[in-house]
Amino acid sequence: MLRDDPEAVIAKLKIKNFDARPVVERVLELDGIRRSLQTESDGIIAAQKQKAAEIGGLMKQGLKDKAEDVKKEVAELKSRSGELLEKMEEAAAELEKQIVLLPNIPCNLVKPGKGAEDNEVVKMGGPEPKLAADALPHWELAKKYDIIDFDLGVKITGAGFPVYKGKGAKLQRALINFFLDCNSEDGYLEVEPPVMVNKDSGFGTGQLPDKEGQMYHANLDDFYMVPTAEVPVTNIFRDVILGQNEIPQRLTAYTPCFRREAGSYGKDVRGLNRLHQFDKVEIVRVEKPEDSYKALDDMVAHVESIVNKLGLKYRILRLCGGDMSFTSAITYDFELWSAAQQRWLEISSVSNFETYQSNRLHLRYRDENGKTQLAHTLNGSSLALPRVVAALLEFCQTPDGIVIPEVLRPYTGFDKID
């Protein structure tokens, strides 16, 4: 793509507010060097083989001195071939370092924009909250009913690691099970992956090298704590070629998630708004390219169905280029209305990565002609718990306690927190 139309790539990445020209020009320069070295190497290897074939004939003719001269020429060609191979490997390694600096190209539906303020609201739903004038934000409700202890989390670990207690802990478990059941009923296979991954896994889904500073790193073993179940679940298919009857793949998983959230501060991080450790249920799909955008629509509709069952006010956004992740080709965000804070809280991102991740993962499938093709990967939060809990506590508060949504009561075993 870069060779065929570099200007188109540069223009597309400008939608993500990324100046790709220096990287693209360097990649093409390195690619030219590598290809030139390859051409020269191929010529030398061919000459080496030809000369080597001459030696036997010269020996048969008794031309030993001539054969020795040709042997020296072969040795010189072999030495030059080795030098070229080393230079090619250096150029290829440098090219790889440069090309991974390029983000995924946004699809045609993505509009330019600087940040969150330029995102497009594509749908709104759910009932309007009707709260009393003295309604409390979730962190005060958590303290009032003794269901989440933020100070105890600070004592044990640090800020952003809350302790859930009593009905608060049961509500967490109920939401996880409810989300997993919703996903399983929709045809997703539940898996329980590791919550630590190696560097290859982080690279495969695009967290490395882009988000290295946001991930917790176990230095001694060179493992990373997962920022989302997307990483281990998608890496199930690293270095895999799927058969015709093995695609699509639909998986769901619950994991705790760990994010350093470096640089986050202020009122937007209060309570459950932004944590270093939180629970999330994820859905992941592997699709043929021609099916991936229908799959994306299906995933958005599925997440919306779960939010509707909770009975909370929500909106769906299509992210502009400036607010999209490094790896995504298109992303839809779900937000819940925080009634007491009077602000929107993101609870889900649903994205299509097209071939960006599968290219890194070497994830392919065999088409109807038996040829291997890169698959498309997609993932979505279904759902992330902290802000769901925050919005639910605030929306469902009454003078007599917090009324649990009816759909969750079989999971919680109680209908009110009081």
Side-chain angles (χ1 to χ4, degrees), residues 4 53-54 57 74 76 78 108 113 122 131 167 210 233 257-258 283 298 317 343 384 411 416:
D4 292 344
E54 289 177 13
V74 169
E76 289 172 4
K78 191 173 182 179
N108 293 332
V122 295
L131 299 185
K167 288 185 175 180
D210 178 52
V233 174
C257 302
F258 305 88
I283 50 177
D298 289 346
L317 309 173
R343 58 189 291 257
Y411 294 89
K416 188 188 289 185

Side-chain angles (χ1 to χ4, degrees), residues 12-300:
K12 274 287 190 181
L13 289 179
K14 193 172 283 187
I15 292 172
K16 282 193 169 183
N17 300 326
F18 184 88
D19 180 12
R21 187 172 296 280
V23 180
V24 169
E25 288 178 352
R26 179 60 176 153
V27 165
L28 292 175
E29 178 188 3
L30 289 164
D31 185 52
I33 292 169
R34 184 188 62 173
R35 295 171 81 191
S36 175
L37 290 168
Q38 183 70 62
T39 300
E40 186 179 352
S41 176
D42 289 346
I44 285 174
I45 289 170
Q48 186 180 326
K49 287 179 179 177
Q50 183 183 344
K51 292 286 185 184
E54 289 177 13
I55 294 170
L58 291 170
M59 292 295 285
K60 285 179 183 178
Q61 296 173 45
L63 302 173
K64 189 176 179 182
D65 290 344
K66 182 66 174 173
E68 289 299 321
D69 290 341
V70 175
K71 282 182 182 179
K72 289 178 183 177
E73 290 179 32
V74 169
E76 289 172 4
L77 288 169
K78 191 173 182 179
S79 174
R80 176 59 181 156
S81 178
E83 291 171 8
L84 289 172
L85 180 62
E86 190 175 323
K87 288 180 179 179
M88 275 192 294
E89 288 173 350
E90 288 173 3
E94 180 61 24
L95 188 148
E96 180 70 13
K97 284 181 184 177
Q98 290 295 317
I99 207 164
V100 298
L101 299 177
L102 294 173
N104 197 1
I105 293 171
C107 83
N108 293 332
L109 291 170
V110 177
K111 295 181 179 179
K114 292 184 178 179
E117 66 279 4
D118 296 318
N119 292 334
E120 178 186 4
V121 178
V122 295
K123 190 172 184 180
M124 298 188 70
E128 284 293 331
K130 296 176 182 178
L131 299 185
D134 59 349
L136 300 174
H138 69 271
W139 54 85
E140 292 186 23
L141 292 167
K143 187 172 184 178
K144 178 180 178 179
Y145 295 108
D146 195 25
I147 53 175
I148 308 171
D149 195 323
F150 295 102
D151 294 333
L152 186 55
V154 172
K155 172 188 171 182
I156 295 169
T157 308
F161 296 88
V163 175
Y164 300 88
K165 302 163 65 178
K167 288 185 175 180
K170 289 182 185 294
L171 178 59
Q172 285 284 113
R173 183 154 47 91
L175 284 165
I176 292 166
N177 288 335
F178 171 62
F179 295 154
L180 285 170
D181 283 354
C182 287
N183 296 342
S184 295
E185 287 163 13
D186 200 50
Y188 289 87
L189 173 69
E190 183 179 345
V191 295
E192 185 177 343
V195 297
M196 300 180 79
V197 294
N198 57 33
K199 190 171 285 187
D200 286 344
S201 293
F203 176 81
T205 44
Q207 275 68 33
L208 299 177
D210 178 52
K211 296 183 179 67
E212 194 157 9
Q214 291 292 343
M215 296 171 74
Y216 286 101
H217 186 208
N219 295 350
L220 192 61
D221 298 299
D222 201 18
F223 292 155
Y224 292 85
M225 304 299 293
V226 299
T228 164
E230 167 204 344
V231 181
V233 174
T234 310
N235 271 277
I236 290 171
F237 303 101
R238 177 155 44 94
D239 298 320
V240 167
I241 300 175
L242 297 169
Q244 273 287 299
N245 61 343
E246 296 177 304
I247 191 168
Q249 291 280 340
R250 296 154 59 97
L251 286 78
T252 186
Y254 152 71
T255 63
C257 302
F258 305 88
R259 298 182 186 178
R260 293 186 61 242
E261 298 289 5
S264 298
Y265 59 91
K267 64 181 178 63
D268 289 349
V269 305
R270 193 165 183 185
L272 296 171
N273 289 348
R274 195 174 295 276
L275 301 176
H276 294 302
Q277 178 182 331
F278 60 95
D279 293 319
K280 183 156 68 82
V281 175
E282 197 80 0
I283 50 177
V284 170
R285 289 174 71 152
V286 180
E287 298 279 346
K288 294 178 181 178
E290 62 267 27
D291 299 329
S292 72
Y293 276 86
K294 182 184 181 304
L296 178 68
D297 292 341
D298 289 346
M299 292 170 75
V300 170

Side-chain angles (χ1 to χ4, degrees), residues 129 131 137 267 313 336-345 394:
L131 299 185
K267 64 181 178 63
K313 182 181 177 181
L336 290 180
W337 179 245
S338 171
Q341 298 179 75
Q342 291 290 293
R343 58 189 291 257
W344 291 99
L345 303 176
E394 293 176 7

